[in-house]
Amino acid sequence: MTTAPYGGWPTPVTSELVVRAAAGLGGVALDGDDVWWSEMRPEEGGRTQLVRWRAGEAVDVLPPGVNARTAVHEYGGGAWWVRGGRLWFAEWSDQRLYAMDVGDGPSGAGEGDGGGAGAAGLGEPVPLSPEPLVPRGDRWADGDVGPDGRWLVVVRERHLEGGSPAEVANELVVLDVTGELPPRVLVTGPDFVSDPRFDPEGRRICWLQWRHPDMPWDGTELCLADVTWGDDGPAISPPEVVAGRPSWSEEGGESVFQPRWCPHDGTLWFVSDRNGWWNLYRRHDDGTVDAMVEIDGEIGMPQWVFGQSRYAFLDEGHVVFAYSRDGVDHLAVRAGDSHRVDDLDIPYTSIASVQADGHHVVFVGASATAEPAVVRLRLRMRLDNHGAGVLGEEVLRPPRDLGLDPAWFSVPEAISFPTSGERIAHALFYPPTNPQVSGPPGELPPLLVLIHGGPTSAARPQLQLGTQYWTSRGFAVVDVNYGGSTGYGRAYRDQLRGKWGVVDLDDCEAAALWLADDGRVDPDRLCIRGGSAGGYTTLAVLAFRDTFAAGASHYGVADLEALAVETHKFESRYLDSLIGPYPEARDVYVERSPIHHLEGFDRPLAVFQGLEDEVVPPNQSEVIVDALRRRGVPVAYVAFEGEQHGFRQAANIRRALDGELSFYAQVFGFPLPVDEGIEPVVVENL
């Protein structure tokens, strides 16, 4: 083993490897014996392809250039669904809803071989929703199919020409799949709606709704209505709120997540945090509600995107569900005839999009040493005193073959540490790991503090080459689940209410200092980075604190007031709970905005920004960069044409990673690798 300066270790985990065929796996769906999933492909400009697995073969379904992605809520999700050999999806370019016949397509074309609708013998996409009055003005997501297959109920988000976020309408709309009748509004009035689902017989429909200033993790209402069918499709009775409540109610908020109808007995199941954790409940026709799974763990997740699934129904009334505890996901089965819960012995620590059929469960799973894969398990149900277990596993869509020994991968350690207000915060710590190189004797590694977005979100305990890019070069990394993160119960999530820009700064700073005091990292080379909300925390901690030596903001918020005024509808009142109502609390917005405290910046900063970002407009980054230039603070600015909120194009993902490494190399004086072809960024004022 050789010795080299921390940060400059040679590694096979290059930015090219990070993005090479790095498809981001999305939602999973089952249609008969077929398994479907979505893949976001950076090498194809970040477009989302749909893949169907049938009889052991995976086939690309959408024609070249077609992109199944919706812009509802700007974050999307739930952009497609399939039933009985018929596919519906939202196309990114025009946001219209398209239908496609996929029932008779053979599985002869292999995945990634250029096969699309034509190559696989499938139908061509046909627009179903009408041309909107405003280009991309009607956006569609999260649909369900009626029992006769003719009618869809879909979330529609309608934008007006030059309209403000307050004028955007989010409604449930009925669509006739034959195209004979125009779309018809079924539910209107709430600020937001999601999860419309018909019961198995089509007699009832449920959905979630919420109103400003709540976000869906603050308080949602589960609505239920009777359905009558006529020549123009379904009509509904006045709805009843059967669970959930807004945050401003006398009893406080209740967040409901993923309502679904049980196919065995027609009861309505849902996830609720009424006991302080997102647990699983069942409502009977007489209105009584049973707690089906009560654990100190989170089955639910923050509803940033549509179409998430954390539980599904198996045969004989059994239910399979994922839950998070101490920052790690688990998969478990609840026996149909009792409250017995059995954890399944599987290696996956991050689980998403749980679907089930019979005694099989399909999900997207990842671990600390394996990227996400589409996995199907055959389960053994409870027999006498034996619990549920795994009889067999099949990986339908394996993770990439990285060609690397697992010795290259830093495995995270879950840590908890003291922070402000006598609180305990949590994080995942990744030590520097390289089987061929070690640091100089007596030297400690630099620390890179990662801050997840949201801020209502969580660090994911799975192999992410974007993290290993740093650890294999000699950086220690800590991914902080500061107060306000999900996965630790409602009380922990509520710690950020009114405290964004305080609690997150305290906890990120505390994580770095705790690791430094423990002798694991160099106290003089503490760095911090984040995107979106994490970018805000990066900017704020550099403006208001003096712990960190350098930082990198990826499309981060610099001006909270501008964010409150300019952002899209979904998040336009988010800051009411994180900061305070605007404009009443304007002084707090100014007080916590880095842009108004430029005198606090005296550490090097790198900024990476998409020029078509609607969530955090480019002017937020440009104003703070220009100000640092004028003040003589070392600063690097890299802007990307055609990128929105979060980088999706392979070349830009690479440039952002390599550019940030180049920035730290210049700041701390370690060498860049000569064989990776990294173009240094320009660091002004250094």
Side-chain angles (χ1 to χ4, degrees):
M1 179 175 287
T2 61
T3 299
Y6 286 109
W9 293 354
T11 173
V13 186
T14 63
S15 66
E16 190 276 334
L17 180 64
V18 171
V19 302
R20 184 199 310 160
L25 298 182
V28 171
L30 306 181
D31 187 37
D33 293 331
D34 294 347
V35 180
W36 290 70
W37 62 84
S38 63
E39 298 186 2
M40 190 281 288
R41 297 178 175 173
E43 78 278 9
E44 297 180 26
R47 83 164 176 131
T48 298
Q49 173 64 277
L50 302 182
V51 180
R52 180 180 65 186
W53 183 93
R54 173 187 286 181
E57 291 189 88
V59 180
D60 288 359
V61 172
L62 300 179
V66 177
N67 188 355
R69 181 183 170 203
T70 178
V72 178
H73 292 182
E74 299 298 333
Y75 295 103
W80 60 277
W81 54 98
V82 61
R83 178 83 60 84
R86 191 77 169 163
L87 168 70
W88 296 272
F89 67 93
E91 158 58 33
W92 176 252
S93 61
D94 60 11
Q95 286 298 295
R96 294 178 70 185
L97 193 66
Y98 285 72
M100 186 173 170
D101 185 2
V102 296
D104 299 321
S107 55
E111 179 184 353
D113 64 357
L122 305 173
E124 292 292 329
V126 176
L128 178 60
S129 63
E131 188 82 36
L133 297 176
V134 177
R136 302 181 87 243
D138 286 353
R139 306 172 181 184
W140 306 86
D142 204 15
D144 191 36
V145 187
D148 65 357
R150 177 177 177 180
W151 304 97
L152 304 179
V153 58
V154 191
V155 174
R156 183 183 69 186
E157 183 175 273
R158 171 161 283 180
H159 294 248
L160 304 176
E161 184 72 44
S164 68
E167 296 174 286
V168 173
N170 294 73
E171 301 168 314
L172 295 183
V173 172
V174 174
L175 286 168
D176 177 6
V177 303
T178 69
E180 295 177 7
L181 295 174
R184 177 171 54 83
V185 175
L186 189 69
V187 175
T188 188
D191 290 313
F192 302 99
V193 287
S194 74
D195 294 89
R197 297 294 185 270
F198 291 110
D199 76 358
E201 298 179 354
R203 297 184 297 106
R204 295 168 294 175
I205 186 173
C206 69
W207 68 90
L208 294 179
Q209 64 184 33
W210 65 97
R211 295 174 174 83
H212 283 317
D214 277 345
M215 300 297 284
W217 45 85
D218 296 322
T220 54
E221 295 176 323
L222 173 56
C223 296
L224 180 62
D226 294 328
V227 179
T228 56
W229 296 89
D231 292 339
D232 60 348
I236 62 173
S237 65
E240 176 188 4
V241 175
V242 297
R245 56 184 177 267
S247 64
W248 59 85
S249 66
E250 184 175 339
E251 300 164 286
E254 178 188 353
S255 173
V256 177
F257 171 86
Q258 195 193 339
R260 295 293 185 269
W261 297 96
C262 178
H264 309 295
D265 59 12
T267 55
L268 179 59
W269 292 54
F270 58 94
V271 174
S272 166
D273 66 355
R274 59 180 58 183
N275 71 347
W277 299 88
W278 267 317
N279 283 184
L280 190 57
Y281 296 85
R282 175 179 65 185
R283 182 187 186 275
H284 297 275
D285 288 346
D286 62 5
T288 59
V289 174
D290 299 329
M292 305 307 291
V293 177
E294 283 192 300
I295 56 175
D296 288 348
E298 299 273 49
I299 299 174
M301 300 179 69
Q303 195 173 320
W304 280 106
V305 297
F306 293 94
Q308 298 179 99
S309 179
R310 294 279 282 179
Y311 70 93
F313 300 103
L314 299 159
D315 276 353
E316 302 168 10
H318 304 297
V319 176
V320 60
F321 64 94
Y323 71 94
S324 175
R325 177 178 287 161
D326 298 328
V328 175
D329 276 350
H330 308 265
L331 194 66
V333 173
R334 181 196 184 277
D337 58 352
S338 74
H339 283 269
R340 174 169 176 160
V341 171
D342 295 305
D343 276 10
L344 299 178
D345 184 15
I346 58 175
Y348 304 100
T349 54
S350 179
I351 297 169
S353 199
V354 177
Q355 306 290 342
D357 181 31
H359 284 187
H360 289 87
V361 57
V362 184
F363 58 92
V364 176
S367 72
T369 56
E371 290 185 313
V374 178
V375 180
R376 183 168 69 170
L377 304 178
R378 181 167 171 255
L379 302 181
R380 179 194 71 233
M381 295 297 102
R382 189 170 73 89
L383 299 173
D384 298 326
N385 293 324
H386 298 286
V390 178
L391 291 177
E393 175 181 330
E394 187 174 12
V395 179
L396 309 185
R397 201 291 187 187
R400 288 182 291 170
D401 180 6
L402 299 172
L404 296 177
D405 189 291
W408 283 98
F409 301 142
S410 180
V411 176
E413 171 194 351
I415 63 173
S416 299
F417 50 90
T419 184
S420 61
E422 299 184 347
R423 296 179 298 112
I424 297 295
H426 311 282
L428 300 174
F429 175 69
Y430 296 80
T433 302
N434 187 310
Q436 299 177 356
V437 186
S438 63
E443 185 176 324
L444 292 172
L447 174 69
L448 194 57
V449 175
L450 303 188
I451 314 162
H452 62 70
T456 308
S457 187
R460 304 301 298 164
Q462 66 184 51
L463 177 62
Q464 299 178 81
L465 285 192
T467 299
Q468 306 297 327
Y469 176 94
W470 300 103
T471 56
S472 63
R473 297 172 190 274
F475 279 82
V477 171
V478 63
D479 206 349
V480 183
N481 279 324
Y482 48 82
S485 301
T486 54
Y488 302 90
R490 173 126 195 173
Y492 194 79
R493 192 165 79 242
D494 283 348
Q495 286 184 11
L496 208 61
R497 293 185 69 86
K499 297 294 185 179
W500 192 33
V502 179
V503 163
D504 49 325
L505 273 62
D506 289 347
D507 294 357
C508 290
E509 194 174 35
L513 294 174
W514 186 80
L515 290 167
D517 290 344
D518 202 41
R520 301 202 207 185
V521 300
D522 185 346
D524 295 324
R525 292 188 292 175
L526 305 178
C527 309
I528 187 165
R529 73 187 300 262
S532 189
Y536 163 72
T537 301
T538 296
L539 295 172
V541 81
L542 292 174
F544 302 126
R545 312 288 174 89
D546 58 6
T547 299
F548 294 97
S553 168
H554 297 250
Y555 40 91
V557 178
D559 187 342
L560 294 173
E561 185 176 14
L563 180 65
V565 172
E566 297 176 3
T567 197
H568 56 104
K569 180 185 177 182
F570 180 62
E571 291 185 272
S572 62
R573 300 289 300 278
Y574 188 18
L575 299 190
D576 281 33
S577 62
L578 295 176
I579 306 291
Y582 185 85
E584 294 86 347
R586 181 180 181 273
D587 58 334
V588 182
Y589 282 72
V590 172
E591 177 187 347
R592 296 185 192 170
S593 292
I595 196 65
H596 295 299
H597 299 275
L598 300 175
E599 71 284 352
F601 283 96
D602 58 5
R603 308 298 169 91
L605 172 68
V607 176
F608 302 88
Q609 176 69 45
L611 294 180
E612 294 184 11
D613 193 334
E614 296 290 338
V615 178
V616 178
N619 67 294
Q620 294 225 0
S621 290
E622 291 162 359
V623 167
I624 200 165
V625 167
D626 289 342
L628 296 185
R629 284 171 176 157
R630 291 193 300 270
R631 292 196 63 245
V633 177
V635 63
Y637 181 54
V638 182
F640 298 110
E641 295 280 356
E643 284 287 11
Q644 289 140 356
H645 196 63
F647 304 147
R648 299 174 68 90
Q649 300 178 37
N652 297 340
I653 296 171
R654 291 193 62 188
R655 179 57 175 155
L657 265 176
D658 291 341
E660 188 175 346
L661 176 65
S662 164
F663 169 74
Y664 295 134
Q666 294 178 63
V667 169
F668 295 123
F670 60 79
L672 281 174
V674 297
D675 58 346
E676 293 185 41
I678 295 175
E679 178 188 353
V681 296
V682 176
V683 183
E684 304 175 53
N685 302 325
L686 186 64

